[in-house]
Amino acid sequence: MERSWFGWRKAKQGGGGGAGGGGGEREEEDQAKVVVDGSGIRELVEDREAFGMFAETKFRQLDADGDGRLSVRELQPAVADIGASLGLPAQGSSPNADHIYSEAMSEFTHGHGNQEGVSRAEFQGVLSDILLGMAAGLKKDPIVILRIDGEDLRDFVSSPRYEPAVAAIFSQVGSEDAPLRQCLLAAVQQLGVDHGMPPAADPWVVENVVEPALQQLSADELEQPASRDVFFEQLKKLLGSVAEQLQERHVIVAHTENTFDGSGVRRLLGNKFELDKLLDSVWRDVPAEHKKKAPKDKEHLRVALDKMADAASLPPHGAVAQVDAVVDEALKVADAGDGKAVQEGEFKKLLTEVLGAVMLRLSGEPIFISTSTVVHEPLSSSSALLPSLAVASPPSE
């Protein structure tokens, strides 16, 4: 997990490199699992004194010239972190996501550049709204912090699940010409946290867990072609060594799972009051020069759909490629790319039709997203202001 400018994702020091308690976060009975559900963020914002100190600290960090106001340039780190917290690619790397960064900046500057800079009070107000929004998102889609210590991996290797799973993996990575090392590295990358394996593509895991385990195998045999029987035998040895490495050096992993099945869109479309209220809000945000006739092009409609995404349980555009593809197809089906101008009623109708098309596609073909990220936050960077927001300890150094 990358370091967060806001600080609420930072790690808390704990014993033995394992997952620590999460203060204001909901903790499972098993100490190896902590669920981050946003409660700590809400508690911080609702504590006026603590949040005031937090906002003041962040304001001073950003106020490079010390003039008591934040320029657009000084606000960039905050805006960049908002995007990272939403799971968006870095600003400037994806045109489809850049408008979200622009909207975040607009929230701080009130949409008109704010040549005089953003005051402390303005900064604190917008920061409060953004953090509460993130807390709401975590409540709906919590992050699970797992301590991977080798125990689950051993259980997997000795379970009836092992041989069928390895047979399926070999069918994908095995090759008569490929050396055993290559096949084994590809195999461990096929395993996930449900097998007790941390993300094997992570450089830290490769250097500190996988490579030391590979060194326990015969160097000559690793360079030989991998037959099915040799692959099965050597993978079991490798995973046993990996489990030993994990027992000595626990790895902390942030894991999320999401299924986009259209149910959130269906709920929104089925609530006429909420839908009409949201459509009115979206229309109010249409630029003044387009008030009478909003352009019927994909870019404007994507911006409008992003403002409705949370209510429809959809990710922001640019965060999940599979969902982006569904939205793009829905825009085509709704004939939303001709660039013609439309009036308010037609604009709202078009958005409703696009949402309906997205709902039908997702209900027929749900999209399941699972991500696992190693927590690399160093202990020394934990924030003393945020003890209730701590979620876990990083891998032992």
Side-chain angles (χ1 to χ4, degrees):
M1 187 181 296
E2 297 299 325
R3 181 177 303 181
S4 170
W5 172 84
F6 287 123
W8 58 267
R9 291 186 293 171
K10 289 189 174 181
K12 178 181 178 181
Q13 186 168 1
E25 301 298 340
R26 177 166 52 87
E27 184 171 351
E28 300 289 310
E29 292 181 2
D30 185 351
Q31 286 284 316
K33 178 188 291 186
V34 176
V35 180
V36 184
D37 60 4
S39 59
I41 300 175
R42 288 190 297 275
E43 289 175 11
L44 171 70
V45 176
E46 290 167 1
D47 185 332
R48 296 182 62 181
E49 182 178 355
F51 182 66
M53 293 173 60
F54 171 64
E56 176 64 19
T57 299
K58 296 307 175 184
F59 186 93
R60 289 180 179 177
Q61 290 174 358
L62 293 170
D63 189 14
D65 59 11
D67 67 351
R69 301 188 76 86
L70 299 180
S71 66
V72 169
R73 183 176 181 179
E74 290 172 330
L75 283 165
Q76 285 297 338
V79 172
D81 196 63
I82 292 168
S85 299
L86 291 171
L88 298 177
Q91 189 172 10
S93 64
S94 171
N96 290 332
D98 281 353
H99 70 84
I100 299 177
Y101 288 99
S102 297
E103 288 177 26
M105 181 63 76
S106 181
E107 287 294 318
F108 283 112
T109 62
H110 306 293
H112 50 69
N114 209 340
Q115 299 298 322
E116 297 180 355
V118 176
S119 69
R120 280 179 166 80
E122 291 170 330
F123 176 77
Q124 182 170 331
V126 175
L127 185 58
S128 171
D129 291 342
I130 290 173
L131 289 179
L132 286 175
M134 290 180 176
L138 284 169
K139 183 178 181 180
K140 183 170 60 178
D141 299 311
I143 296 173
V144 179
I145 306 297
L146 302 168
R147 184 186 66 212
I148 309 294
D149 59 6
E151 183 177 347
D152 288 343
L153 184 58
R154 287 195 185 91
D155 290 345
F156 165 66
V157 171
S158 61
S159 74
R161 295 192 300 146
Y162 177 73
E163 288 199 8
V166 173
I169 290 173
F170 182 76
S171 69
Q172 298 178 45
V173 306
S175 170
E176 295 181 358
D177 300 325
L180 177 62
R181 169 186 283 272
Q182 179 181 324
C183 294
L184 292 177
L185 286 173
V188 294
Q189 291 188 22
Q190 297 284 323
L191 300 175
V193 295
D194 53 330
H195 304 105
M197 184 73 196
D202 183 272
W204 190 95
V205 175
V206 172
E207 180 181 352
N208 294 281
V209 178
V210 178
E211 284 296 339
L214 278 170
Q215 292 173 12
Q216 304 301 313
L217 305 180
S218 167
D220 290 338
E221 194 164 12
L222 286 174
E223 302 308 320
Q224 299 299 315
S227 68
R228 187 178 188 275
D229 290 343
V230 169
F231 175 82
F232 269 60
E233 178 185 355
Q234 295 301 314
L235 180 60
K236 180 170 285 191
K237 289 182 180 179
L238 174 63
L239 294 180
S241 296
V242 167
E244 291 178 3
Q245 295 293 329
L246 291 171
Q247 186 175 7
E248 296 177 4
R249 308 186 75 172
H250 301 168
V251 178
I252 304 301
V253 174
H255 183 71
T256 61
E257 293 183 357
N258 262 307
T259 299
F260 301 102
D261 58 5
S263 58
V265 184
R266 183 178 294 106
R267 284 193 298 270
L268 176 61
L269 295 178
N271 187 332
K272 189 175 185 305
F273 175 78
E274 182 182 355
L275 177 63
D276 289 344
K277 184 179 178 181
L278 189 56
L279 289 170
D280 287 341
S281 174
V282 169
W283 178 255
R284 284 195 300 271
D285 289 339
V286 172
E289 60 269 27
H290 299 303
K291 264 300 181 184
K292 292 185 178 180
K293 289 192 174 184
K296 182 183 174 184
D297 62 63
K298 291 181 180 179
E299 187 58 33
H300 279 80
L301 288 168
R302 279 200 188 101
V303 172
L305 288 169
D306 263 347
K307 293 175 180 177
M308 305 177 74
D310 186 60
S313 298
L314 295 173
H317 191 79
V320 180
Q322 298 94 316
V323 177
D324 290 347
V326 170
V327 172
D328 288 343
E329 185 61 30
L331 289 169
K332 291 179 183 178
V333 171
D335 191 25
D338 57 17
K340 294 180 180 177
V342 295
Q343 295 182 349
E344 178 180 354
E346 188 177 352
F347 187 71
K348 293 178 178 179
K349 180 182 178 183
L350 191 59
L351 286 174
T352 303
E353 290 175 353
V354 171
L355 286 172
V358 170
M359 179 193 71
L360 291 174
R361 175 69 180 275
L362 291 177
S363 61
E365 301 176 26
I367 294 172
F368 176 74
I369 300 294
S370 174
T371 60
S372 296
T373 307
V374 177
V375 179
H376 293 294
E377 190 78 13
L379 293 175
S380 60
S381 66
S382 297
S383 172
L385 282 175
L386 306 173
S388 65
L389 303 184
V391 295
S393 298
S396 56
E397 297 298 332

